[in-house]
Amino acid sequence: MASEKQRSLLLESTSRFPIPPGVRFSYGTAGFRSDGLILGSTVFRAGVLAALRSIKTGHAIGLMITASHNPIFDNGVKIADPDGGMLTQKWEPFADALANAPDPQHLLDLVVQFAEEENIPLCGTQSAEVLLGRDTRPTGESLLETAKQGINAIIGAVAVDMGILTTPQLHWIVRSRNKGTKASEFDYYAQLSKSFRCLIDLIPENIVKSEVDPKVLVDGANGVGGEKLEELKKMLKGLDIEVRNSGKKGGVLNDGVGADYVQKEKVAPSSFGSIDMGLRCASLDGDADRLVYFHVLSASDNSIDLIDGDKILSLFAVFIKEQLSILNRNENDDVFNSLPARLGIVQTAYANGASTDYLKQMGLEVVFTPTGVKYLHKKAAEYDIGIYFEANGHGTIIFSEEFLSLLHARSDELSVSMAGSERHKAAVRLLAVSQLINQAVGDALSGLLLVEAVLSYMGWSIVRWSQLYADLPSRQLKVKVADRNAVVTANAETEVVQPVGLQKLIDTETAKYPRGRCFIRPSGTEDIVRVYAEASTQEAADRLANSVMQLVYQFLDFTNSHV
Ligand SMILES: CC(=O)N[C@H]1[C@@H](OP(=O)(O)O)O[C@H](CO)[C@@H](O)[C@@H]1O
Ligand SMILES: [Mg+2]
């Protein structure tokens, strides 16, 4: 039961942040997002939710103010669960209801009812801790203050302001804090730089380094990522990083820069051009949880060869598979003890078909989930080592606790029986990867360091890496319809079940094109239906996408006029 004091505190605090008229908020794949100026009530309520989640779980919760790759005047809020992952899907309907409660009394009723259902004590003796972070957006500072007020509206909850952070940093800090390991921003840099150094120190001596350019140029999207990379750089040895678009020279966040722009437009971001031709370049998104690589192709325009999330995933998969096979190589019958690991690759339907073929040819197990990292992460967690990436560059590698403890034990054994052997080194490398790569969420900074370490290990240039396979030409279109939710899909979003009959026509259209593949789904973050098409030539991919777009118009207009 909620105490009287709690009830009046919640009523009084909520009344300070009335909801804007005529807007409906929905906790999508990216939390709540909207124009930053109308988000006050939503962020306040997200603070209330985070405090309740902390009481429920008995652990610290994260609250991040960011709108990732959206334009600068947008903002948003998302919650990190105790393991550093996304808020449990089970609480999303409550998040929606809370954000849209029309007045303080409705909100109080919702909170009291939910607390009863979930057994959350609100009698004033409980404690809760919420760690807050924000990116560099102009509305960030005041929204963070608003979130604090939401947290403080729950008696016993404490808000800890961690200041400006990348989204993955906040998730990492939440996870580390709850695991009882070192958890400050400095500890994050220290862990990344130490494990990176370990991987570099273990590069075989016979690697031909001449092919690899020592420098990487990084587009910071004029956001928090560039700023934090400059910090990390101070602690790194053995890597030359040049950060551009760090936001210090007046560029606008995500405006003609950043991983989303580079991946969707397939062009070089601003401040990159023909003088960088052939150099290894990377791009982060606005809150640094996405990473793509590219190299500039031409001296006359800003066309690029894009190395997207699928190719980053493939590079990591090649490396991890190789280390597992070295670790399990039978060099000496007497002491051989293998450490079998289930390695799983998780993609979405947006993964380029050529990447899936390549991964399968390597003998890897590839599975698909719907779009949205919460789905990919959950699936990847079913393996000893799960590697997941969205084509847009969000992804990571996760190691099960059980496998990690076996790996630690094996590494200790090998350090005695076979110190300095390739098998021992492989075990140490895998452990270093688990420290370097963010286990909580996709993280552009840790992903960048792992790419750099693996390329050095392989002795590969960016061109060699890009040649792992050739992407199939593809086209993505956005279709504006009256009600995008009229489209219902199944089979990891590759099949339309509603409107009935549409899938059959998509299939007929797709069958006309060699290597054709096409699917549609309603976006979870924008009010549109997305069409994705792939085929053996760009012209064919474009034509397929366009004809399916026409089908969507026909069917959805038909559906809507009969509802
Ligand atoms: C095709 C595409 O890139 N979709 C993105 C986009 O989701 P949509 O539901 O497609 O709008 O934003 C999500 C959150 O950032 C991200 O997880 C996802 O991959
Ligand atoms: Mg992002």
Side-chain angles (χ1 to χ4, degrees), residues 68-72 137 218-224 244-247 250-265 267-272 282-287 290 292 294 302:
S68 183
H69 54 274
N70 285 35
I72 186 162
R137 287 163 194 275
V218 184
D219 158 32
N222 289 323
V224 60
R244 295 189 191 163
N245 303 328
S246 65
V252 176
L253 175 71
N254 296 331
D255 186 10
V257 293
D260 191 62
Y261 173 76
V262 172
Q263 190 237 350
K264 297 262 158 46
E265 305 296 325
V267 292
S270 136
S271 351
F272 286 73
S283 182
L284 322 175
D285 77 335
D287 63 340
R290 290 191 195 176
V292 294
F294 64 93
N302 64 350

Side-chain angles (χ1 to χ4, degrees), residues 28-337:
T29 35
F32 293 112
R33 253 184 225 182
S34 158
D35 178 335
L37 293 176
I38 61 161
L39 265 177
S41 70
T42 319
V43 168
F44 169 87
R45 291 159 186 222
V48 172
L49 179 116
L52 295 174
R53 184 84 189 130
S54 177
I55 298 174
K56 167 78 188 181
T57 59
H59 285 102
I61 292 292
L63 186 151
M64 182 73 195
I65 308 281
T66 177
S68 183
H69 54 274
N70 285 35
I72 186 162
F73 293 112
D74 281 359
N75 217 328
V77 55
K78 46 186 170 185
I79 311 285
D81 249 6
D83 62 357
M86 305 290 175
L87 172 71
T88 178
Q89 287 168 48
K90 212 177 140 228
W91 276 43
E92 287 181 6
F94 177 57
D96 283 351
L98 215 53
N100 295 300
D103 54 51
Q105 188 59 49
H106 276 92
L107 182 124
L108 175 63
D109 294 346
L110 270 172
V111 168
V112 169
Q113 191 197 342
F114 186 73
E116 268 173 28
E117 281 164 21
E118 289 279 327
N119 258 325
I120 301 171
L122 289 178
C123 45
T125 54
Q126 68 282 349
S127 64
E129 182 179 52
V130 181
L131 311 181
L132 302 156
R134 66 178 173 97
D135 69 15
T136 51
R137 287 163 194 275
T139 49
E141 194 171 354
S142 80
L143 285 176
L144 192 135
E145 287 307 314
T146 305
K148 280 186 192 165
Q149 302 207 34
I151 296 160
N152 292 334
I154 298 296
I155 296 171
V158 177
V160 185
D161 184 354
M162 311 294 295
I164 293 179
L165 292 173
T166 70
T167 296
Q169 281 183 320
L170 181 72
H171 285 254
W172 185 96
I173 288 170
V174 168
R175 179 184 162 86
S176 305
R177 182 162 184 93
N178 289 323
K179 276 171 73 101
T181 52
K182 288 181 171 177
S184 70
E185 187 182 352
F186 177 83
D187 296 323
Y188 169 89
Y189 297 126
Q191 181 170 319
L192 263 59
S193 50
K194 187 170 167 221
S195 44
F196 174 74
R197 189 69 236 167
C198 173
L199 286 170
I200 296 295
D201 286 344
L202 287 175
I203 289 174
E205 275 164 16
N206 58 357
I207 289 294
V208 186
K209 298 200 172 76
S210 56
E211 222 194 309
V212 186
D213 200 295
K215 191 166 176 178
V216 56
L217 309 177
V218 184
D219 158 32
N222 289 323
V224 60
E227 201 174 306
K228 298 299 179 182
L229 188 55
E230 295 281 12
E231 288 295 305
L232 176 59
K233 213 175 118 172
K234 291 182 202 151
M235 294 173 70
L236 281 177
K237 279 192 221 100
L239 180 62
D240 186 1
I241 302 177
E242 181 183 324
V243 184
R244 295 189 191 163
N245 303 328
S246 65
K248 289 196 192 113
K249 291 187 186 148
V252 176
L253 175 71
N254 296 331
D255 186 10
V257 293
D260 191 62
Y261 173 76
V262 172
Q263 190 237 350
K264 297 262 158 46
E265 305 296 325
K266 295 204 176 89
V267 292
S270 136
S271 351
F272 286 73
S274 49
I275 52 158
D276 305 313
M277 218 170 92
L279 296 179
R280 192 166 69 256
C281 305
S283 182
L284 322 175
D285 77 335
D287 63 340
D289 62 358
R290 290 191 195 176
L291 170 72
V292 294
Y293 270 72
F294 64 93
H295 61 103
V296 176
L297 285 174
S298 148
S300 55
D301 60 29
N302 64 350
S303 63
I304 56 163
D305 175 24
L306 172 73
I307 296 171
D308 62 3
D310 302 336
K311 235 168 224 175
I312 296 175
L313 164 79
S314 301
L315 180 74
F316 290 172
V318 170
F319 180 72
I320 298 284
K321 187 168 185 274
E322 184 168 319
Q323 298 315 308
L324 285 171
S325 103
I326 297 172
L327 177 66
N328 289 324
R329 194 183 287 160
N330 192 346
E331 286 172 346
N332 176 344
D333 284 339
D334 299 338
V335 291
F336 187 70
N337 242 333

Side-chain angles (χ1 to χ4, degrees), residues 29-30 264 290 350 371-372 390 392 476 521 523-525 530:
T29 35
K264 297 262 158 46
R290 290 191 195 176
Y350 290 104
T371 305
E390 294 190 308
N392 60 32
Q476 262 199 66
R521 55 176 277 281
S523 159
T525 59
R530 291 191 199 278

